Amino acid sequence: MNTQNNSEQDVHEAVDVIIVGAGFGGLGMGTRLAREGEKSFVILERATEVGGTWRDNDYPGAACDVPSHLYSYSFRLNPEWSRTFAPQAEILGYLSDVAREEGLLPHIHFGAELIEARWDVELTRWVVLTPKGVFTATNLVTAVGHLSEPKLPQIPGMETFTGDMFHSAQWNRDVDLAGKRVGVVGSGATAIQVVPEVAKEASELVVFQRSAPYVTPRPDRAYTDAEKGMYRRLPETMEEVRSEMFWANEDRYAQRRGTPSLVNPAAKVAIDHLHKQIQDPALVAKLTPDYTFGCKRVLKSNDYYPTFNADHVTLDVGGVESIANGIVRSHGGESHELDVLIFCTGFEATDLPIAYRVFGNSGRSLSEQWANGMQAFATMAVTGFPNMWILNGPNTGLGHNSAVYIAESQIEYIDAALKYMDTNQLAVLEIDGAAEEKFMDRVERLAEGTVWLEGGCKSWYVDARNGRLTTLWPDPAYSFRQENGVFDPAPFELARRHTDAAALSEVR
Amino acid sequence: MKIHPDAVEGQVRVEDSDVTYYDTGTPGDGRTPVVLIHGTGGSATSHFRILYPMLAARHRVLAINFSHLENLTRELRIEDLAAQVIAVLEDRAADTGAHLVGYSLGAAVSATIAADRPELVNTLTLIAGWAKTDQQQALRNSIWHRLFHGDRDALREFTTFEAYGHPFLGSLSETEVAALVAARSFPPGIEEQMKLNRNINILDKIGGICAPTLIVGCTYDHMVPIKHSRLLFGAIPDARLAEVPSGHAAPMERPAQLFQLIDGFVVSPQAVRPGTTLASISV
């Protein structure tokens, strides 16, 4: 790393805000700052183009399972969406357009992976080391998401696998699947999109499922030219359709509270879908979930189940036990000889890798502070980490609605916090530790009784270290914005009062 | 199926009929209940299947089923239905008062109670309500009665067509619309309620309502066009007006949005000043 012996030109001019990540969150925050034009900022991006998870997850069949008119910025409605659920390339194109048209490209440093971020108590600034030099700023906004670091299972003998092996978010385009014997590990949101596509190519396909997902019909269709023209000429009609989609999703939140009168009919839709598409009783049994509807992400697909009706597709329900050369053995005792192994095993969502690289005012890393699970006040501010704001961090995932709505709520909050600092000429804003704990107690109370905790499943929504629901927001999306979308200085002022007054004057 | 795991079902005797209620709290527990009053031909379960559990996550919720008065020798009056609600309120919420929420005919009943028995009503929410039946409604009512006695299948289609807003119906598949049509039922007492609907007139009373009131009108309502909500807003002194982009079947089309409106209002009734309109929610 060249930052160890920096030459002068490696140290970039100080800015007001460093944004880490150029995905939905980072570009949204950048757009806000660019449009207001009050603050200097840079966006640090480890890759060579924008798009975050929509750049990385370009596997065959990749698409969003939130409708596109909702899964887009409210300040950048897009009349051109081709379908209800746009495919990955189109979403990536949308994000590229936003970056270019909002004038963000000059602010973005590509190949600038955050190696280390440290709060400098003397300078009251964040100092960020990257391969592209050192960046400093008053405020640090991390927007790295929780679906960005591929998670691979630890399987004995994995290193001996003789064929090609990759994670779905690192799809190897050099591998031609035609005529190959392919294994897909996993049966979550990615797998159900990958499996039908791989089945078209492979001579043999084995899907390794540990637990069966609930799969509901995917009400997808192409938009007509008339609709697109209407959205173009009457943009308010896009807002109406967006509102329809948002509230229809919000209605589903009630199911997540575990009320049987709502959960049971919703589960029946998925089970009916399964029975309609699969006739073989043994296969139906294997594909029938054994936990409460909604405990894990509810999936949408019209072509996942039918794939298993094909003769060359096998569903193995044991889970992978070991690998020896070309043989993959499952816990069920079966052995499969395979040429390619694709891991659709998700992401490091509860133990965020960036937390190991960020150090607060005591020199302690965020991961150390979060050893028992991540937490943040209002989902954004962490005690001991002044002037740091986390976009799409703890308790911001949704099992029922659009993540973009959440990110926009946070952007609103962060923007207000930055303005508050300006107006009151504050160099430092840090959340009070007690306020953070109180917030987390409230989140814990909201999570009580929900299907995510009580649904009898193991999911990435819950941190195994503390049993807490740390990735999901356990209340309606609208409530998120009500509670976390409006900046209130009081709990930050509390922290200031607790700080030694002398230290404060030194800072000034 | 039970409306909510925490709900206790009970009955209160009114005249010679039993009025059923579902309460997630108990008298004396100090919690002011949100009281849900259903509309024509409905029940707590059919109209508030989604809204009830949503509200129950944050409030004590009490819902009531109107009882069919089989032995009535005259036409049903709004006071008969009000008496049923009042009896339950006196039994379950005499100590706390109630956040009364009425939908459609239930709104007319709730407004009547708020005017006649102000001590029972802490706040009032009127969803797709009206004060005086007009000729547009009377015409629909007349078609309803003809089909009720002539062609029940056509009536199922007609009421589905009328109940839901066009954006909602238009977005469904043929199968989904067919399921909505098939689900329409005509429980005992519905004809009497429809006759009552033809002659609603509580205009004289509602000016006297003193409880903080939230009026919720539905943009695409054919059954009770939004103008009626605007008139209620004009008549009730301490009222504020919200608009939901749904048809008459708002509790089915937009339960989550109704939940947020009701929750926000009962938690701080004066957060929105009387005489003002709530800003539409942008997402």
Side-chain angles (χ1 to χ4, degrees), chain A residues 245-486:
Chain A
M245 290 167 168
F246 177 83
W247 290 106
N249 281 341
E250 284 289 84
D251 294 348
R252 293 194 278 142
Y253 172 77
Q255 300 161 5
R256 306 297 187 265
R257 287 227 69 91
T259 312
S261 61
L262 299 178
V263 173
N264 297 354
K268 189 174 178 293
V269 171
I271 299 301
D272 286 351
H273 189 48
L274 167 62
H275 287 255
K276 204 170 157 189
Q277 296 194 317
I278 304 277
Q279 273 71 47
D280 175 7
L283 206 45
V284 167
K286 286 182 184 177
L287 289 167
T288 303
D290 60 0
Y291 55 86
T292 306
F293 181 88
C295 183
K296 291 186 182 214
R297 192 172 183 88
V298 175
L299 309 179
K300 293 175 186 156
S301 174
N302 298 332
D303 55 3
Y304 179 67
Y305 285 143
T307 305
F308 294 102
N309 289 325
D311 288 336
H312 70 298
V313 180
T314 307
L315 178 63
D316 188 307
V317 295
V320 179
E321 183 224 39
S322 64
I323 298 173
N325 304 318
I327 311 282
V328 178
R329 228 182 309 277
S330 82
H331 284 288
E334 282 177 73
S335 290
H336 307 274
E337 197 171 347
L338 299 170
D339 305 313
V340 184
L341 203 49
I342 303 168
F343 290 96
C344 300
T345 43
F347 302 88
E348 297 285 358
T350 51
D351 187 13
L352 292 182
I354 193 176
Y356 290 84
R357 302 176 174 196
V358 178
F359 300 84
N361 57 13
S362 64
R364 199 154 76 129
S365 72
L366 190 54
S367 60
E368 213 177 312
Q369 181 153 324
W370 281 354
N372 290 317
M374 56 181 178
Q375 64 173 51
F377 174 79
T379 74
M380 285 168 272
V382 181
T383 186
F385 293 77
N387 297 10
M388 183 184 82
W389 313 95
I390 308 171
L391 269 177
N392 288 334
N395 296 109
T396 56
L398 290 176
H400 73 286
N401 216 332
S402 167
V404 181
Y405 181 84
I406 297 296
E408 282 194 35
S409 312
Q410 294 187 310
I411 290 166
E412 190 68 38
Y413 181 101
I414 296 168
D415 189 53
L418 299 183
K419 288 197 174 106
Y420 178 82
M421 289 174 78
D422 281 352
T423 312
N424 296 280
Q425 295 184 312
L426 301 177
V428 180
L429 211 51
E430 184 189 346
I431 190 62
D432 175 58
E436 185 182 310
E437 290 301 332
K438 203 171 148 200
F439 178 82
M440 292 314 296
D441 288 346
R442 181 170 149 61
V443 169
E444 194 164 2
R445 273 201 312 281
L446 287 172
E448 276 171 18
T450 61
V451 293
W452 300 300
L453 286 182
E454 320 243 322
C457 78
K458 188 170 170 288
S459 82
W460 57 272
Y461 297 153
V462 177
D463 193 325
R465 294 173 296 186
N466 60 5
R468 273 180 156 186
L469 192 75
T470 59
T471 60
L472 274 199
W473 173 249
D475 221 23
Y478 179 80
S479 304
F480 183 96
R481 185 167 289 187
Q482 294 289 101
E483 289 173 41
N484 307 321
V486 184

Side-chain angles (χ1 to χ4, degrees), chain B residues 21-260:
Chain B
Y21 63 80
Y22 307 91
D23 193 350
T24 62
T26 46
D29 71 3
R31 303 166 70 199
T32 307
V34 174
V35 180
L36 300 174
I37 310 300
H38 66 80
T40 305
S43 66
T45 314
S46 69
H47 283 172
F48 304 121
R49 189 173 73 86
I50 308 176
L51 201 47
Y52 190 108
M54 281 181 170
L55 286 162
R58 293 198 194 162
H59 303 274
R60 174 182 168 198
V61 185
L62 171 62
I64 293 168
N65 284 347
F66 288 141
S67 177
H68 171 40
L69 306 173
E70 280 171 275
N71 303 321
L72 207 62
T73 50
R74 52 166 173 78
E75 296 230 319
L76 182 70
R77 292 178 191 144
I78 198 162
E79 288 76 14
D80 299 323
L81 298 177
Q84 296 184 7
V85 177
I86 288 167
V88 175
L89 293 182
E90 285 174 339
D91 188 58
R92 305 295 295 178
D95 55 334
T96 54
H99 296 297
L100 196 55
V101 178
Y103 167 54
S104 192
L105 173 59
V109 173
S110 299
T112 302
I113 297 164
D116 292 349
R117 297 290 304 274
E119 78 283 4
L120 292 172
V121 182
N122 301 10
T123 70
L124 177 67
T125 302
L126 304 176
I127 303 164
W130 80 105
K132 184 175 188 300
T133 307
D134 69 13
Q135 286 309 306
Q136 185 262 5
Q137 292 172 297
L139 179 59
R140 189 187 72 82
N141 198 296
S142 162
I143 300 169
W144 190 94
H145 285 283
R146 270 176 198 263
L147 294 176
F148 185 72
H149 291 288
D151 186 342
R152 290 287 175 96
D153 284 337
L155 183 56
R156 276 188 192 90
E157 290 190 350
F158 177 63
T159 50
T160 305
F161 175 74
E162 286 276 299
Y164 296 93
H166 66 80
F168 179 82
L169 270 188
S171 72
L172 300 181
S173 68
E174 196 179 343
T175 325
E176 287 167 324
V177 173
L180 285 180
V181 170
R184 299 301 298 188
S185 63
F186 308 103
I190 192 171
E191 189 180 14
E192 290 74 13
Q193 289 177 8
M194 282 303 287
K195 283 182 182 162
L196 167 62
N197 285 342
R198 204 151 52 187
N199 299 309
I200 296 287
N201 187 354
I202 53 170
L203 274 177
D204 289 347
K205 287 185 183 232
I206 57 178
I209 292 174
C210 52
T213 302
L214 171 67
I215 315 279
V216 183
C218 305
T219 314
Y220 307 110
D221 194 337
H222 313 294
M223 288 185 168
V224 185
I226 192 161
K227 187 187 172 193
H228 294 280
S229 285
R230 293 176 180 151
L231 288 169
L232 289 170
F233 178 54
I236 299 174
D238 194 352
R240 62 277 299 139
L241 177 68
E243 185 170 334
V244 172
S246 74
H248 189 68
M252 276 68 81
E253 290 182 46
R254 293 277 180 125
Q257 193 173 356
L258 284 182
F259 159 69
Q260 297 291 355

Side-chain angles (χ1 to χ4, degrees), chain A residues 480-499:
Chain A
F480 183 96
R481 185 167 289 187
Q482 294 289 101
E483 289 173 41
N484 307 321
V486 184
F487 176 72
D488 171 16
F492 291 89
E493 290 297 333
L494 215 58
R496 285 180 67 226
R497 281 201 292 277
H498 291 166
T499 312

